[in-house]
Amino acid sequence: MKKYLKGDEWNIIEEGFHAEFNKVSESIFSLGNGRFGQRGNFEEYYSGESLQGNYVAGVYYPDKTKVGWWKNGYPEYFAKVLNAVNWIEIDSWIDGERLNLADCKILMFKRILHMREGYLERRVIVELPSGKQVEIHAQRFCSMANNRMGVIQYSITPLNFDGDIEFHLGLDGDVRNADANYEEHFWEEVEQREDDGSQFLTMRTKKTGFEVCVGFYYSAHLDGQQLEGGQQAINRDQYVGYKQKVEVQTNEKLTIYKYVSLISSMDIAKTCLLNESKVNISTMKKRSYVDLLQEHQDAWKKKWNESDLIIKGDVSAQQAIRFNIFHLNQTYTGEDERLNIGPKGFTGEKYGGATHWDTEAYCIPYYLRTAEARVAKNLLLYRYRHLEKAIENGEKLGFSDGAALYPMVTMNGEECHNEWEITFEEIHRNGSVAYAIYNYVTYTGDRRYLADYGIDVLIAIARFWSQRVNWSEEKQAYVILGVTGPNEYENNVNNNWYTNTIAVWCLNFTIDVLREIEVSWNEDYQDVLTRTNFKADKEIDRWKSIIRQMYFPEDKVLGVFLQQDGFLDKEQVLVKDLDPKHRPLNQKWSWDRILRSVFIKQADVLQGLYFFEEKFDLETLRRNFDFYESRTVHESSLSPCVHAVLAAKLNRGEQAYELYLRTARLDLDDYNNDTEDGLHITSMAGSWMSVVEGFAGMRVRNDLLSFSPIVPKQWECYSFMMNFRGIVLQIEISENSVQVSNKSADADLLIGLFDDTYTVRASCKIEIPNKKSGNEEKIAY
Amino acid sequence: MKKYLKGDEWNIIEEGFHAEFNKVSESIFSLGNGRFGQRGNFEEYYSGESLQGNYVAGVYYPDKTKVGWWKNGYPEYFAKVLNAVNWIEIDSWIDGERLNLADCKILMFKRILHMREGYLERRVIVELPSGKQVEIHAQRFCSMANNRMGVIQYSITPLNFDGDIEFHLGLDGDVRNADANYEEHFWEEVEQREDDGSQFLTMRTKKTGFEVCVGFYYSAHLDGQQLEGGQQAINRDQYVGYKQKVEVQTNEKLTIYKYVSLISSMDIAKTCLLNESKVNISTMKKRSYVDLLQEHQDAWKKKWNESDLIIKGDVSAQQAIRFNIFHLNQTYTGEDERLNIGPKGFTGEKYGGATHWDTEAYCIPYYLRTAEARVAKNLLLYRYRHLEKAIENGEKLGFSDGAALYPMVTMNGEECHNEWEITFEEIHRNGSVAYAIYNYVTYTGDRRYLADYGIDVLIAIARFWSQRVNWSEEKQAYVILGVTGPNEYENNVNNNWYTNTIAVWCLNFTIDVLREIEVSWNEDYQDVLTRTNFKADKEIDRWKSIIRQMYFPEDKVLGVFLQQDGFLDKEQVLVKDLDPKHRPLNQKWSWDRILRSVFIKQADVLQGLYFFEEKFDLETLRRNFDFYESRTVHESSLSPCVHAVLAAKLNRGEQAYELYLRTARLDLDDYNNDTEDGLHITSMAGSWMSVVEGFAGMRVRNDLLSFSPIVPKQWECYSFMMNFRGIVLQIEISENSVQVSNKSADADLLIGLFDDTYTVRASCKIEIPNKKSGNEEKIAY
């Protein structure tokens, strides 16, 4: 836990340089625009602790897998997000002395992430070993208005000397992934080109053959006066750049503008990459830095108008939630169905492949509610496009006849992960892919999606479950053996309640959707049967038999569902009785000890109660929540949010607030001591969920959007923007009232508040008294 | 399955060169003398498929572990058997053309492993690409009489030309392990020395600092006439040798004798290594090749007199069992308590560390019965010396107060293995260490061992079990959660019957031994309590409570013990109904599919019925055997033997014979397609066990050695040698009679045959009619 950043409603501020946390700061101060992004590295050379990181969406490398003991069925490759060309370099020699903050005395240091405007700023005053003092002022952004563009404004001012400054501006393609399994270099150079004062470097990934062309030009100014001439090209292997030496006098400010174009072969045919890059550079040359920054800020303004969440009376919570929203919007903009949300976004390399079940379970709800439907739809189509690969993956594991198992971790639809207990056994992920379809059509009302795309995925998933169960003579029921549930602190268990529940739900939902297609789009129904080679009677009969006779472990005496068979054989101890020196368990205990203990990493039974809450009454939720939460150590970043939502539903504001804090400031406070590897992007969606689904109690049932809010007592009030079926809404909640504003110019909307419904007219606001206290007691047993 | 070797009672014969199986042959034709050994590589250069292998007992390297996903508690190093100096090199250039069998036309090829005499022979006639034909005749052995010595006789005869032959004789220290995790080189050179016509090379292992000094001299003879002079030294980095060029005429035989000394710092202080090597070379120089070979053969004769097993009427079975005995005797001679039996002995590198639970469960019974007691005792002392490390290992996993968990795989007492489901969970291995103590004292009668050494190990193991169980409120019993039993096709199961059984047995046995020490060696008892810091009342009370209230899964209806909780939830299919194209499962199925299937890799419940057979009646054995064997795929080399013993006990000769064949010819027929990696040394002991404990029904109960033999109908009769408490016996069994010869000159022995006892007088033989048919039917259900 670290507390070195300043509280502020709109900005993240580091005052004074915390060299020891620099890698943490680099993660926190990351920038991105959905197409590319980068860690908050310094522009100038820095020999201290740093993880240099630049990433381009969708560009990956299949790194050869590293395993201790090979198991049949493991994937041979692990698709990794790639550290790409470093384009921020602005390196300076002052009278021949290289500027390196690690060598300097830091007289002033301030790093600010301007979240509203979307740029990173740094002001530094340092004294070099020679005694020379300079002031640095840097600003940069990855443009949201033109997502092929990054710009830096960088100035140096000598404070106590006259002398010369030689600066080097480069594009460096000789970068490596810190997490490469065999320290291989994943890139090779395609070409270098200098053209009309611009340098271009095209790099290609080995094996996958992605190409990325980065180009730049720059201008240098002395006290606002542009310098003409004097630049010298630098070209060496995998590197292009310019250098220039300038005489400067005390207090004269040397300012450099570095305008960068970055385009990958994801978007432009390789043969056109260089040309398109030149065009992009020409476009930039026609505008000033100020213009470009303004366009970028305008794009961010639009983002905030759709997704801001305001908390009054709690600066720390306000800063945190905006930090989460900011990074979610930087990571994924929903323009390309081939992209997804990596666990670290553009802020680090860890966990390699982009896509986990986090996307379906945590991220889709966020994008669904804060953006137009196409954004979430693209995340669904991503899985739809991978269906064939998911079926192949199923075949690799012994399934047949079009049964799909979606990968645990993937980039291109192929499985990347290779721990058998996860890769082969954490099969509930298949359920969340189906659940996301349900979530999408429920929220958007776009039911055509089911007939056009959804049903193919659903049938393939239903087929998987149908083959994955087996009949137990002993239990006279269907069982699902050998799985890992969402709680990864259990492996290879039998009859994980959550998995059995979502499996049956998938079968039911698929049958319902088939019926809906048959009824609503009968002309498409036959096509569905044909293209999926569906044996309607036979397959549905089997599914129904499984639905009817599935086994669900539960304990009637305690009145709780059992996480898995044998759960009550464990020693029943509670987290509150755990000696703090044993925590976090995953760093203190050997794996077997974790496995046989009762302690839970993240919501498991409770994940099911969250997904399928309509099926269970409040008493059932309460009993299960109290039983399981008291055994949960929340050692996954995805854990607290689901618990926060459920606690709020149980009207326990205090507990919900505690849980919310753990997720919202996870990275800002480096709660788990791992922010240096990158931010927990996917769990950021969970923070948002905690507020909107948790405190505000947002739900959609039968096409009705409703709220049942509470206010944590630490907050005066809070409000947030939502997009429901094309209508932008603002919800404002205080202890006394709930207000809903309909920002649409022409559409009215029926909404639910507590137990009543109200029509909110276009461009109008309604206000009703708040009815919930959020004061119920927690019971631990 | 391969069938390219000739059947023969005493020899392994390859006729015609099977280049495609050369690595298999290299494993099969391996030599060793307990101190060092080597694969059956060619002396001359060979560019075809080959795994060059030379190994020195006890010399290992801690290779850095390779894992996909690190788990807390994993060992950082994996101690590996080391590929060491290659000393067999005799490389030839014939008129400048290098002799390389891979380039030649093979006109005749015969490779023979003379098991009775203990040497390897090869006769080859080849035509070189130039058309020149030569005959090669090679013989070599690793001396059993002087275990620091290896000798080669190698001759080349030109068959159709006169010309010159230049030969190079070397010691090559620049060798690598084929299974190195990061392709590192584990050795560095200490020194080279030439001295009086001998070359010496001393190499040292990195990190562990073992030193091995290898030296050699040679003589060359033309048609029996020793050549004088003409040798030139070769010295280069990590290599020493001699070369010599000789003019030869058609049909003139050039014979080279290479006399090698190999001594490691395991035996001799590093400072004396070179000197001792020189002394060793001097000793050899005083004897002829014929003398040295004779001494070696005499040593083998003695081995065979103690351990031979004769089968009449079945050449294939005879060859197989001698092959097993031959390699067991080559691998371990029992002279050094720091040594153990690696899974591949001196025949390959796979599985790294030397010691698995195979030693206790399979190998000790063999050595116990075919050698003096000190041999098995040294294997026990090996674990005794590692007790402290086993306690440290327990501490790493959260145990305390002197609880020991012996490692799954080890060289020096530290755990090497790193799959959590094995390393942390296959804890039954601890039981086999205790069981070996029981086995040893039962067979040898050396009960003092208990007070001197055994009790320390037993208490530490009992403490482990005492802490590893937990109380289940649900079951109102003690349970053991999260284990892997002997059947490694199940991981992380609860209440593995075998594990629970051996845990309780360990507690009981430890209590019994404590009582025995208190009664028999009361003067030592207090010392035991003190040195183990034993809280007699408290600890024994706890153990008794666990013994009384341990949970054992069973199914009363089927009348079988359950391998683990939930075993009957699996789809109950039998191996006979498994499509052969799915086999072996471990190559065809993904791991999860194997885990959730009913199929069993090796004896698990049945391992318990084998170890503790006295506790169960024959009907219980029969039901469990029929239930489990029909679900067992025997995909461990250790599987068939236990089943063969039990099948024989059930009087099912046919089934026992089938099972016996799978273990005895496992390597000769390359049954599992993996003999090229090395031989399955530890399972070889199981082959012997199948005959002696299986067919012959050998048992020791209450100090009485007894037999209850059957004869497989494929055999006329069989006989074997045993050493029981210092008395050498020969047991001869035919369909009609059982004969027991007492080879002792002065000691009589009471033995049991079927249900009666007989006294066999010193130097006498008794004969009684055979009473068992071995004809009971197998029942599958």
Side-chain angles (χ1 to χ4, degrees), chain A residues 66 68-69 71-72 418-421 468 470 472 475 491-492 569 587 589 595, chain B residues 66 68-69 71-72 418-421 470 472 475 491-492 569 587 589 595-596:
Chain A
K66 190 165 82 170
W69 303 90
K71 306 266 193 220
N72 202 36
N418 55 9
E419 286 176 295
W420 63 265
E421 63 274 21
R468 185 59 171 74
N470 73 271
S472 163
K475 292 200 162 65
N491 293 152
N492 194 45
D569 277 338
Q587 286 169 31
W589 282 11
L595 288 181
Chain B
K66 190 165 80 170
W69 303 90
K71 306 263 193 225
N72 202 35
N418 55 8
E419 287 175 296
W420 63 264
E421 63 273 22
N470 72 273
S472 164
K475 292 199 162 69
N491 292 153
N492 193 44
D569 277 338
Q587 286 170 31
W589 283 9
L595 288 180
R596 66 180 181 272

Short mmCIF file of all heavy atoms in Angstrom, two decimals, chain A residues 66 68-69 71-72 418-421 468 470 472 475 491-492 569 587 589 595, chain B residues 66 68-69 71-72 418-421 470 472 475 491-492 569 587 589 595-596:
data_model
loop_
_atom_site.label_atom_id
_atom_site.label_comp_id
_atom_site.label_asym_id
_atom_site.label_seq_id
_atom_site.Cartn_x
_atom_site.Cartn_y
_atom_site.Cartn_z
N LYS A 66 6.56 -21.63 -21.99
CA LYS A 66 7.49 -22.21 -21.03
C LYS A 66 6.67 -23.02 -20.03
O LYS A 66 5.77 -22.48 -19.40
CB LYS A 66 8.25 -21.09 -20.31
CG LYS A 66 9.41 -21.58 -19.47
CD LYS A 66 10.34 -20.45 -19.08
CE LYS A 66 9.79 -19.70 -17.88
NZ LYS A 66 10.77 -18.75 -17.32
N GLY A 68 6.98 -26.35 -17.01
CA GLY A 68 7.86 -27.27 -16.30
C GLY A 68 7.65 -28.67 -16.85
O GLY A 68 8.57 -29.37 -17.20
N TRP A 69 6.40 -29.07 -16.93
CA TRP A 69 6.04 -30.44 -17.32
C TRP A 69 4.93 -30.37 -18.34
O TRP A 69 3.85 -29.90 -18.05
CB TRP A 69 5.60 -31.23 -16.08
CG TRP A 69 6.67 -31.21 -15.06
CD1 TRP A 69 6.83 -30.30 -14.07
CD2 TRP A 69 7.77 -32.11 -14.95
NE1 TRP A 69 7.95 -30.57 -13.34
CE2 TRP A 69 8.56 -31.69 -13.86
CE3 TRP A 69 8.17 -33.26 -15.67
CZ2 TRP A 69 9.71 -32.35 -13.46
CZ3 TRP A 69 9.31 -33.91 -15.27
CH2 TRP A 69 10.07 -33.47 -14.18
N LYS A 71 1.90 -31.12 -20.64
CA LYS A 71 0.71 -31.97 -20.62
C LYS A 71 0.11 -31.96 -22.02
O LYS A 71 0.07 -30.91 -22.67
CB LYS A 71 -0.35 -31.41 -19.66
CG LYS A 71 0.14 -31.16 -18.26
CD LYS A 71 -0.13 -32.34 -17.35
CE LYS A 71 0.06 -31.95 -15.91
NZ LYS A 71 0.72 -33.00 -15.14
N ASN A 72 -0.38 -33.10 -22.42
CA ASN A 72 -1.05 -33.21 -23.70
C ASN A 72 -2.18 -32.19 -23.77
O ASN A 72 -2.95 -32.06 -22.83
CB ASN A 72 -1.61 -34.63 -23.81
CG ASN A 72 -1.85 -35.02 -25.23
OD1 ASN A 72 -1.08 -34.63 -26.12
ND2 ASN A 72 -2.89 -35.76 -25.47
N ASN A 418 -1.34 -22.05 -20.08
CA ASN A 418 -0.89 -23.42 -19.93
C ASN A 418 -0.65 -23.85 -18.48
O ASN A 418 0.43 -24.29 -18.13
CB ASN A 418 0.37 -23.67 -20.75
CG ASN A 418 1.45 -22.67 -20.41
OD1 ASN A 418 1.30 -21.92 -19.46
ND2 ASN A 418 2.51 -22.65 -21.14
N GLU A 419 -1.65 -23.69 -17.68
CA GLU A 419 -1.70 -24.43 -16.41
C GLU A 419 -2.92 -25.31 -16.55
O GLU A 419 -4.04 -24.80 -16.74
CB GLU A 419 -1.94 -23.50 -15.23
CG GLU A 419 -0.76 -22.65 -14.83
CD GLU A 419 -1.15 -21.70 -13.71
OE1 GLU A 419 -2.00 -20.82 -13.97
OE2 GLU A 419 -0.63 -21.81 -12.59
N TRP A 420 -2.75 -26.62 -16.42
CA TRP A 420 -3.87 -27.50 -16.72
C TRP A 420 -5.10 -27.16 -15.91
O TRP A 420 -6.22 -27.24 -16.39
CB TRP A 420 -3.49 -28.97 -16.55
CG TRP A 420 -3.11 -29.39 -15.14
CD1 TRP A 420 -1.85 -29.45 -14.63
CD2 TRP A 420 -3.99 -29.77 -14.07
NE1 TRP A 420 -1.88 -29.85 -13.31
CE2 TRP A 420 -3.18 -30.06 -12.95
CE3 TRP A 420 -5.36 -29.91 -13.96
CZ2 TRP A 420 -3.72 -30.48 -11.73
CZ3 TRP A 420 -5.89 -30.32 -12.74
CH2 TRP A 420 -5.08 -30.60 -11.65
N GLU A 421 -4.88 -26.76 -14.64
CA GLU A 421 -6.02 -26.51 -13.76
C GLU A 421 -6.79 -25.28 -14.20
O GLU A 421 -7.93 -25.08 -13.77
CB GLU A 421 -5.54 -26.41 -12.30
CG GLU A 421 -4.59 -25.27 -11.99
CD GLU A 421 -3.12 -25.59 -12.24
OE1 GLU A 421 -2.83 -26.53 -13.01
OE2 GLU A 421 -2.26 -24.90 -11.67
N ARG A 468 -19.82 -32.18 -21.60
CA ARG A 468 -18.89 -32.09 -20.47
C ARG A 468 -19.47 -32.70 -19.20
O ARG A 468 -18.73 -33.08 -18.29
CB ARG A 468 -18.50 -30.63 -20.25
CG ARG A 468 -17.44 -30.38 -19.19
CD ARG A 468 -16.14 -31.10 -19.50
NE ARG A 468 -15.08 -30.69 -18.59
CZ ARG A 468 -14.98 -31.06 -17.33
NH1 ARG A 468 -15.89 -31.85 -16.80
NH2 ARG A 468 -13.97 -30.64 -16.58
N ASN A 470 -21.39 -35.60 -16.95
CA ASN A 470 -21.59 -37.05 -17.05
C ASN A 470 -22.63 -37.49 -16.02
O ASN A 470 -22.90 -36.79 -15.04
CB ASN A 470 -20.27 -37.83 -16.89
CG ASN A 470 -19.74 -37.84 -15.49
OD1 ASN A 470 -19.00 -36.96 -15.09
ND2 ASN A 470 -20.11 -38.85 -14.69
N SER A 472 -24.01 -39.50 -13.07
CA SER A 472 -23.51 -40.21 -11.90
C SER A 472 -24.56 -41.22 -11.45
O SER A 472 -25.65 -40.84 -11.03
CB SER A 472 -23.23 -39.22 -10.76
OG SER A 472 -23.13 -39.94 -9.53
N LYS A 475 -25.23 -40.59 -7.72
CA LYS A 475 -26.10 -39.47 -7.35
C LYS A 475 -27.42 -39.49 -8.12
O LYS A 475 -28.31 -38.71 -7.83
CB LYS A 475 -25.39 -38.14 -7.63
CG LYS A 475 -24.20 -37.85 -6.74
CD LYS A 475 -23.84 -36.37 -6.73
CE LYS A 475 -22.97 -35.98 -5.56
NZ LYS A 475 -21.64 -36.58 -5.53
N ASN A 491 -8.75 -26.11 -7.10
CA ASN A 491 -8.52 -26.66 -8.44
C ASN A 491 -9.08 -28.07 -8.52
O ASN A 491 -9.04 -28.81 -7.53
CB ASN A 491 -7.02 -26.77 -8.75
CG ASN A 491 -6.32 -25.43 -8.88
OD1 ASN A 491 -5.14 -25.34 -8.61
ND2 ASN A 491 -7.03 -24.41 -9.27
N ASN A 492 -9.52 -28.42 -9.70
CA ASN A 492 -9.95 -29.80 -9.97
C ASN A 492 -10.96 -30.29 -8.95
O ASN A 492 -10.82 -31.35 -8.37
CB ASN A 492 -8.71 -30.72 -9.97
CG ASN A 492 -9.02 -32.08 -10.56
OD1 ASN A 492 -9.67 -32.18 -11.60
ND2 ASN A 492 -8.58 -33.14 -9.90
N ASP A 569 -16.01 -30.36 4.39
CA ASP A 569 -14.95 -31.17 5.02
C ASP A 569 -13.76 -30.32 5.45
O ASP A 569 -12.91 -30.77 6.21
CB ASP A 569 -14.45 -32.25 4.05
CG ASP A 569 -15.35 -33.47 4.07
OD1 ASP A 569 -16.07 -33.66 5.07
OD2 ASP A 569 -15.33 -34.22 3.09
N GLN A 587 1.20 -15.33 -1.31
CA GLN A 587 2.65 -15.12 -1.17
C GLN A 587 3.22 -15.84 0.06
O GLN A 587 4.43 -15.99 0.18
CB GLN A 587 2.96 -13.61 -1.07
CG GLN A 587 2.81 -12.91 -2.43
CD GLN A 587 2.85 -11.39 -2.30
OE1 GLN A 587 3.51 -10.83 -1.42
NE2 GLN A 587 2.14 -10.72 -3.18
N TRP A 589 1.65 -18.87 1.62
CA TRP A 589 1.33 -20.30 1.76
C TRP A 589 1.69 -21.06 0.48
O TRP A 589 1.55 -20.52 -0.62
CB TRP A 589 -0.17 -20.47 2.02
CG TRP A 589 -0.58 -20.19 3.44
CD1 TRP A 589 0.17 -19.61 4.42
CD2 TRP A 589 -1.87 -20.45 4.02
NE1 TRP A 589 -0.57 -19.51 5.57
CE2 TRP A 589 -1.82 -20.01 5.36
CE3 TRP A 589 -3.05 -21.02 3.53
CZ2 TRP A 589 -2.91 -20.13 6.22
CZ3 TRP A 589 -4.14 -21.13 4.40
CH2 TRP A 589 -4.06 -20.69 5.73
N LEU A 595 -5.11 -24.58 -1.30
CA LEU A 595 -6.17 -25.40 -1.90
C LEU A 595 -7.02 -26.10 -0.85
O LEU A 595 -8.23 -26.21 -0.99
CB LEU A 595 -5.58 -26.45 -2.83
CG LEU A 595 -5.01 -25.97 -4.16
CD1 LEU A 595 -4.48 -27.16 -4.95
CD2 LEU A 595 -6.05 -25.23 -4.98
N LYS B 66 12.57 -24.96 -14.44
CA LYS B 66 11.75 -24.31 -15.47
C LYS B 66 10.28 -24.54 -15.11
O LYS B 66 9.86 -25.68 -14.96
CB LYS B 66 12.07 -24.92 -16.83
CG LYS B 66 11.47 -24.16 -17.98
CD LYS B 66 12.08 -24.56 -19.32
CE LYS B 66 11.47 -25.85 -19.83
NZ LYS B 66 11.87 -26.15 -21.21
N GLY B 68 6.12 -22.93 -15.85
CA GLY B 68 5.31 -21.99 -16.58
C GLY B 68 4.83 -20.90 -15.63
O GLY B 68 4.93 -19.71 -15.90
N TRP B 69 4.31 -21.32 -14.48
CA TRP B 69 3.69 -20.41 -13.53
C TRP B 69 4.21 -20.77 -12.15
O TRP B 69 3.96 -21.85 -11.66
CB TRP B 69 2.17 -20.53 -13.59
CG TRP B 69 1.70 -20.28 -14.97
CD1 TRP B 69 1.54 -21.21 -15.96
CD2 TRP B 69 1.37 -19.02 -15.56
NE1 TRP B 69 1.13 -20.60 -17.11
CE2 TRP B 69 1.01 -19.25 -16.89
CE3 TRP B 69 1.33 -17.70 -15.07
CZ2 TRP B 69 0.62 -18.23 -17.76
CZ3 TRP B 69 0.95 -16.69 -15.94
CH2 TRP B 69 0.60 -16.96 -17.26
N LYS B 71 4.66 -21.22 -8.31
CA LYS B 71 3.83 -21.31 -7.11
C LYS B 71 4.74 -21.19 -5.90
O LYS B 71 5.84 -21.75 -5.89
CB LYS B 71 3.13 -22.67 -7.03
CG LYS B 71 2.33 -23.03 -8.28
CD LYS B 71 0.87 -22.70 -8.12
CE LYS B 71 0.06 -23.35 -9.20
NZ LYS B 71 -0.92 -22.45 -9.80
N ASN B 72 4.23 -20.51 -4.92
CA ASN B 72 4.95 -20.38 -3.67
C ASN B 72 5.30 -21.77 -3.13
O ASN B 72 4.44 -22.64 -3.09
CB ASN B 72 4.05 -19.63 -2.68
CG ASN B 72 4.85 -18.99 -1.60
OD1 ASN B 72 5.95 -18.53 -1.82
ND2 ASN B 72 4.30 -18.97 -0.40
N ASN B 418 8.66 -29.94 -9.33
CA ASN B 418 7.87 -28.73 -9.27
C ASN B 418 6.59 -28.78 -10.09
O ASN B 418 6.35 -27.92 -10.92
CB ASN B 418 8.72 -27.52 -9.68
CG ASN B 418 9.33 -27.75 -11.04
OD1 ASN B 418 9.01 -28.72 -11.72
ND2 ASN B 418 10.19 -26.86 -11.45
N GLU B 419 5.79 -29.76 -9.83
CA GLU B 419 4.39 -29.69 -10.22
C GLU B 419 3.64 -29.72 -8.90
O GLU B 419 3.78 -30.69 -8.14
CB GLU B 419 3.96 -30.92 -11.03
CG GLU B 419 4.48 -30.97 -12.44
CD GLU B 419 4.09 -32.30 -13.09
OE1 GLU B 419 4.56 -33.35 -12.61
OE2 GLU B 419 3.34 -32.29 -14.07
N TRP B 420 2.80 -28.71 -8.65
CA TRP B 420 2.21 -28.63 -7.32
C TRP B 420 1.45 -29.89 -6.95
O TRP B 420 1.46 -30.33 -5.80
CB TRP B 420 1.31 -27.39 -7.20
CG TRP B 420 0.11 -27.36 -8.11
CD1 TRP B 420 0.03 -26.74 -9.32
CD2 TRP B 420 -1.16 -27.96 -7.89
NE1 TRP B 420 -1.21 -26.93 -9.87
CE2 TRP B 420 -1.98 -27.67 -9.01
CE3 TRP B 420 -1.72 -28.73 -6.85
CZ2 TRP B 420 -3.30 -28.11 -9.12
CZ3 TRP B 420 -3.03 -29.17 -6.98
CH2 TRP B 420 -3.81 -28.85 -8.09
N GLU B 421 0.80 -30.48 -7.96
CA GLU B 421 -0.05 -31.64 -7.67
C GLU B 421 0.79 -32.86 -7.29
O GLU B 421 0.27 -33.82 -6.72
CB GLU B 421 -0.98 -31.94 -8.85
CG GLU B 421 -0.29 -32.33 -10.15
CD GLU B 421 0.11 -31.13 -11.02
OE1 GLU B 421 0.25 -30.02 -10.50
OE2 GLU B 421 0.33 -31.35 -12.24
N ASN B 470 -7.21 -32.98 8.91
CA ASN B 470 -8.03 -32.00 9.63
C ASN B 470 -9.35 -32.66 10.01
O ASN B 470 -9.75 -33.67 9.42
CB ASN B 470 -8.24 -30.71 8.83
CG ASN B 470 -9.17 -30.88 7.66
OD1 ASN B 470 -8.76 -31.25 6.56
ND2 ASN B 470 -10.46 -30.63 7.87
N SER B 472 -13.17 -33.02 10.14
CA SER B 472 -14.34 -32.61 9.38
C SER B 472 -15.55 -32.64 10.28
O SER B 472 -15.96 -33.71 10.76
CB SER B 472 -14.55 -33.55 8.18
OG SER B 472 -15.86 -33.40 7.68
N LYS B 475 -18.21 -34.77 8.54
CA LYS B 475 -18.07 -36.23 8.60
C LYS B 475 -17.87 -36.72 10.02
O LYS B 475 -17.88 -37.93 10.25
CB LYS B 475 -16.88 -36.69 7.74
CG LYS B 475 -17.08 -36.50 6.24
CD LYS B 475 -16.12 -37.36 5.44
CE LYS B 475 -16.56 -37.54 4.01
NZ LYS B 475 -16.50 -36.36 3.18
N ASN B 491 -5.64 -35.87 -9.38
CA ASN B 491 -4.89 -34.86 -8.64
C ASN B 491 -5.80 -34.15 -7.67
O ASN B 491 -6.98 -33.93 -7.98
CB ASN B 491 -4.31 -33.80 -9.58
CG ASN B 491 -3.22 -34.32 -10.50
OD1 ASN B 491 -3.03 -33.78 -11.58
ND2 ASN B 491 -2.52 -35.36 -10.10
N ASN B 492 -5.22 -33.73 -6.56
CA ASN B 492 -5.94 -32.87 -5.62
C ASN B 492 -7.28 -33.48 -5.23
O ASN B 492 -8.31 -32.82 -5.28
CB ASN B 492 -6.16 -31.48 -6.24
CG ASN B 492 -6.60 -30.46 -5.21
OD1 ASN B 492 -6.05 -30.41 -4.11
ND2 ASN B 492 -7.61 -29.68 -5.51
N ASP B 569 -18.89 -41.02 -8.69
CA ASP B 569 -19.55 -40.04 -9.56
C ASP B 569 -19.04 -40.12 -10.98
O ASP B 569 -19.64 -39.57 -11.90
CB ASP B 569 -19.31 -38.61 -9.03
CG ASP B 569 -20.28 -38.26 -7.93
OD1 ASP B 569 -21.35 -38.89 -7.87
OD2 ASP B 569 -19.96 -37.35 -7.14
N GLN B 587 -0.94 -39.92 -23.93
CA GLN B 587 -0.52 -39.28 -25.17
C GLN B 587 -1.72 -38.84 -26.01
O GLN B 587 -1.57 -38.05 -26.95
CB GLN B 587 0.36 -40.23 -25.99
CG GLN B 587 1.75 -40.37 -25.39
CD GLN B 587 2.56 -41.49 -26.03
OE1 GLN B 587 2.40 -41.80 -27.21
NE2 GLN B 587 3.41 -42.14 -25.25
N TRP B 589 -5.13 -38.10 -24.61
CA TRP B 589 -6.15 -37.29 -23.94
C TRP B 589 -5.52 -36.09 -23.26
O TRP B 589 -4.41 -36.17 -22.74
CB TRP B 589 -6.89 -38.13 -22.88
CG TRP B 589 -7.90 -39.07 -23.43
CD1 TRP B 589 -8.12 -39.38 -24.75
CD2 TRP B 589 -8.86 -39.84 -22.68
NE1 TRP B 589 -9.14 -40.29 -24.86
CE2 TRP B 589 -9.61 -40.59 -23.61
CE3 TRP B 589 -9.13 -39.96 -21.32
CZ2 TRP B 589 -10.64 -41.44 -23.22
CZ3 TRP B 589 -10.15 -40.82 -20.92
CH2 TRP B 589 -10.89 -41.55 -21.87
N LEU B 595 -8.14 -36.86 -15.86
CA LEU B 595 -8.46 -36.68 -14.44
C LEU B 595 -9.90 -37.04 -14.12
O LEU B 595 -10.19 -37.62 -13.09
CB LEU B 595 -8.21 -35.23 -14.01
CG LEU B 595 -6.76 -34.78 -13.89
CD1 LEU B 595 -6.71 -33.33 -13.45
CD2 LEU B 595 -5.98 -35.65 -12.90
N ARG B 596 -10.82 -36.65 -14.99
CA ARG B 596 -12.21 -36.90 -14.62
C ARG B 596 -12.67 -38.29 -15.04
O ARG B 596 -13.77 -38.71 -14.69
CB ARG B 596 -13.13 -35.80 -15.14
CG ARG B 596 -13.28 -35.71 -16.63
CD ARG B 596 -14.24 -34.55 -17.00
NE ARG B 596 -14.42 -34.45 -18.43
CZ ARG B 596 -13.65 -33.73 -19.24
NH1 ARG B 596 -12.65 -33.04 -18.75
NH2 ARG B 596 -13.88 -33.69 -20.53
#
